[in-house]
């Protein structure tokens, strides 16, 4: 068994930083009081919650009373959509979202459709970007909510959030953004972008799993999703995960302090990875936008190679990555995101997502590209189609062009 481990799946989750663990530890056995109680023992927990709320508010540029802690990004998305649909049902039942949202939004929309909502799923272009004209045209008098993700979890495309916020505000429609992949990675100001609600999750930014947040602009009527006690100012019941919330705040403040340096470092490494792959691996292409992209995201498709097989072979070399297909009920379905950007099924099935983190090194990228070259080459040579197109000598012996990698805007 290979001992080496290269972790390139930071969009799935991230390792927790030691500073984060340190910030969490006191709330397990020293400051264990329930923040809803009156005695002194709970003072530490109460202070930690308030400090975390202040930290998040400082990062997002809002008031701390607009921050609500939740159990995860999925809960935040569910709450935003279901809470608005319920609270604004007298105004209208129409919601606009996109075809490339995370399932936390898409499956919630499907559920809402079964309960009387009407949902428009916007198309995206070949880079994964929505059309602003298309968004504006989709708004109806009964539209109550626009929910567009800040950045896509598979292809890393960053949506034109500022313009979406302007359009929503101009039409008097609320704007929710799923920023689970973007929070802590790129600067976000809820006022500048006119965001009314925003979802984030700690485990994507070197924080703990099982804690998220929902920003809710003052004045937005949002019905509760979790019913019970009066926690989170009566809007989100359930005893607070104080240790998790303290860890989330520590992770977010570290991410904010180091953001510019991380963006520079990760974009440089990612560009190096993209350049090497497209130059050295025949029949490869980059998925997603080149210009408007998360710093740590690279998503490729390799013709004549299967993504799931690539993953297994990479894993045997100690490399953790992700493919663009989800295995449900034993059948591998190409990802809805890659289908929405117009990739033919073969390319969608041959996709690979590599996502960098704060610990990724250039040497790890070199190791990964070297292994990937071998693996993709092996799989391509096994494909009967590949031989027909590239010729027995491979792409270099082929009379046909197109073997070089390509990238989008
Ligand atoms: N939204 C996006 C864009 C995501 O990438 C994820 C997780 O991968 C989620 C929502 C769900 O977040 P959580 O894992 O905290 O439930």
């Amino acid at each position: 068994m290979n001992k080496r481990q290269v972790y390139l799946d930071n969009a799935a989750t991230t390792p927790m930083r030691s500073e984060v663990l340190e910030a969490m530890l006191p709330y397990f056995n020293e400051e264990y009081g329930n923040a809803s109680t009156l005695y002194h023992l709970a003072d530490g927990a109460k202070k930690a919650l308030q400090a975390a709320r202040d930290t998040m508010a400082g990062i997002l540029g809002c008031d701390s009373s607009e921050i609500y802690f939740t159990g995860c990004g999925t809960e935040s998305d569910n709450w935003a959509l279901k809470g608005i649909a319920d609270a604004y049902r007298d105004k209208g039942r129409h919601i606009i979202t996109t075809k490339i949202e995370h399932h936390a939004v898409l499956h919630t929309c499907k559920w809402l459709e079964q309960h009387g909502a009407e949902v428009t799923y916007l198309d995206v272009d070949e880079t994964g970007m929505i059309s602003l004209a298309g968004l504006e045209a989709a708004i109806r008098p009964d539209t109550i909510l626009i929910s567009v993700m800040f950045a896509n979890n598979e292809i890393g495309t960053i949506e034109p959030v500022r313009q979406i916020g302007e359009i929503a505000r101009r039409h008097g429609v609320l704007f929710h953004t799923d920023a689970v992949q973007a929070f802590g990675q790129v600067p976000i100001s809820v006022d500048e972008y006119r965001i009314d609600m925003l979802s984030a999750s700690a485990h994507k930014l070197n924080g703990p799993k099982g804690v998220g947040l929902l920003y809710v602009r003052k004045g937005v009527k949002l019905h509760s999703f979790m019913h019970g006690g009066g926690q989170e100012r009566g809007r989100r019941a359930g005893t607070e995960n104080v240790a998790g919330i303290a860890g989330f705040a520590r992770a977010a403040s570290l991410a904010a302090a180091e953001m510019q340096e991380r963006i520079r470092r990760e974009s440089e490494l990612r560009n190096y990875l993209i350049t090497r792959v497209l130059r050295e691996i025949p029949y490869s292409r980059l998925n997603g936008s080149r210009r408007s992209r998360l710093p740590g995201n690279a998503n490729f498709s390799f013709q004549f190679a299967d993504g799931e097989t690539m993953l297994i072979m990479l894993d045997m070399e100690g490399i953790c990555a992700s493919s663009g297909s989800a295995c449900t009920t034993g059948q591998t379905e190409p990802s809805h995101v890659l289908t929405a950007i117009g990739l033919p099924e073969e390319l969608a099935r041959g996709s690979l997502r590599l996502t960098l983190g704060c610990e990724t090194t250039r040497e790890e990228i070199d190791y990964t590209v070297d292994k990937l070259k071998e693996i993709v080459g092996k799989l391509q040579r096994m494909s009967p189609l590949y031989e027909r197109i590239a010729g027995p000598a491979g792409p270099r012996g082929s009379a046909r062009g197109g073997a070089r990698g390509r990238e989008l805007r």
Side-chain angles (χ1 to χ4, degrees):
M1 188 69 189
N2 200 310
K3 286 279 187 315
R4 176 145 208 192
Q5 186 87 288
V6 177
Y7 187 71
L8 290 175
D9 203 15
N10 286 277
T13 196
T14 53
M16 219 171 70
R17 289 175 62 156
S18 55
E19 302 95 315
V20 173
L21 179 63
E22 218 171 278
M24 294 172 70
L25 284 176
Y27 303 99
F28 288 108
N29 55 3
E30 289 166 31
E31 304 283 359
Y32 58 84
N34 185 325
S36 301
T37 55
L38 285 177
Y39 40 76
H40 287 304
L41 178 72
D43 285 353
K46 276 184 226 167
K47 274 194 199 129
L49 287 182
Q50 190 51 47
R53 227 180 286 288
D54 293 344
T55 299
M56 297 311 194
I59 291 170
L60 287 171
C62 64
D63 196 86
S64 54
S65 64
E66 295 171 309
I67 301 289
Y68 297 87
F69 291 110
T70 64
C72 55
T74 301
E75 184 193 323
S76 302
D77 286 342
N78 269 261
W79 184 15
L81 273 80
K82 291 176 182 171
I84 290 299
D86 192 38
Y88 289 81
R89 61 170 59 228
D90 290 341
K91 180 170 185 258
R93 319 238 37 200
H94 182 231
I95 293 170
I96 300 172
T97 189
T98 79
K99 289 187 176 165
I100 61 163
E101 297 299 308
H102 189 272
H103 284 132
V105 167
L106 284 181
H107 289 172
T108 303
C109 284
K110 290 288 169 212
W111 185 90
L112 284 167
E113 281 179 303
Q114 288 163 8
H115 292 79
E118 279 183 58
V119 183
T120 300
Y121 300 89
L122 296 174
D123 286 320
V124 292
D125 69 12
E126 62 165 0
T127 70
M129 203 76 80
I130 68 154
S131 145
L132 294 169
L135 167 67
E136 198 147 18
I139 297 175
R140 315 189 314 207
D142 63 338
T143 306
I144 52 171
L145 180 68
I146 293 169
S147 181
V148 177
M149 67 201 322
F150 204 107
N152 185 267
N153 47 303
E154 291 189 32
I155 55 175
T157 299
I158 300 176
E159 296 297 332
V161 178
R162 184 190 300 269
Q163 291 93 324
I164 297 169
E166 276 167 15
I167 291 171
R169 190 65 64 87
R170 200 168 344 115
H171 288 267
V173 177
L174 294 172
F175 173 35
H176 164 252
T177 188
D178 173 345
V180 167
Q181 291 290 336
F183 183 69
Q185 314 292 333
V186 291
I188 302 176
S189 154
V190 287
D191 276 347
E192 203 180 314
Y193 295 162
R194 294 171 164 70
I195 294 165
D196 295 307
M197 281 173 293
L198 175 144
S199 306
S201 178
H203 74 103
K204 306 291 187 182
L205 50 133
N206 307 99
K209 291 167 183 61
V211 54
L213 72 76
L214 184 67
Y215 155 77
V216 185
R217 185 177 289 283
K218 221 170 262 171
V220 171
K221 271 193 294 166
L222 180 73
H223 283 178
S224 291
F225 174 61
M226 300 278 277
H227 303 280
Q231 292 91 351
E232 297 298 285
R233 280 126 21 252
R235 280 179 126 175
R236 196 274 184 188
T239 300
E240 301 88 347
N241 173 4
V242 181
I245 291 168
F248 190 6
R250 185 81 182 106
S253 61
L254 286 168
E258 297 167 6
M259 188 177 286
Q260 289 312 326
E261 172 53 17
R262 255 190 84 171
I263 290 177
R264 190 198 59 73
R265 199 179 151 274
E266 274 179 37
S267 316
E268 205 176 289
L269 267 184
R270 178 208 59 196
N271 290 344
Y272 173 67
L273 164 68
I274 292 173
T275 306
R276 272 204 68 188
V277 167
L278 297 186
R279 201 177 50 213
E280 297 177 34
I281 306 185
Y283 297 102
S284 58
R285 61 167 268 158
L286 177 72
N287 297 318
S289 169
R290 186 74 203 247
R291 273 187 292 110
S292 182
R293 186 180 201 107
L294 286 174
N297 175 292
N299 187 308
F300 302 102
S301 278
F302 301 99
Q303 228 177 320
F304 318 113
D306 173 64
E308 296 286 295
T309 317
M310 267 186 269
L311 282 192
I312 294 165
M313 292 171 81
L314 283 168
D315 188 35
M316 283 158 63
E317 302 294 346
I319 302 164
C320 303
S322 160
S323 85
S325 23
C327 198
T328 42
T329 61
Q331 278 202 317
T332 326
E333 289 294 328
S335 119
H336 65 285
V337 176
L338 299 179
T339 307
I341 62 170
L343 275 197
E345 193 173 324
E346 185 214 350
L347 283 179
R349 285 188 190 283
S351 78
L352 184 77
R353 180 185 73 180
L354 300 170
T355 44
L356 285 53
C358 54
E359 293 174 352
T360 311
T361 64
R362 191 179 174 99
E363 194 271 324
E364 287 180 327
I365 298 291
D366 278 328
Y367 172 76
T368 303
V369 178
D370 291 346
K371 291 295 173 195
L372 193 60
K373 253 166 86 174
E374 282 172 31
I375 290 167
V376 174
K378 214 178 271 177
L379 294 175
Q380 287 179 330
R381 283 191 298 278
M382 278 161 60
S383 158
L385 256 178
Y386 175 75
E387 190 169 314
R388 216 181 306 150
I389 288 171
R396 306 245 182 288
S398 164
R400 190 182 180 275
R404 276 182 64 91
R406 65 177 288 248
E407 62 179 76
L408 301 168
R409 284 168 283 153

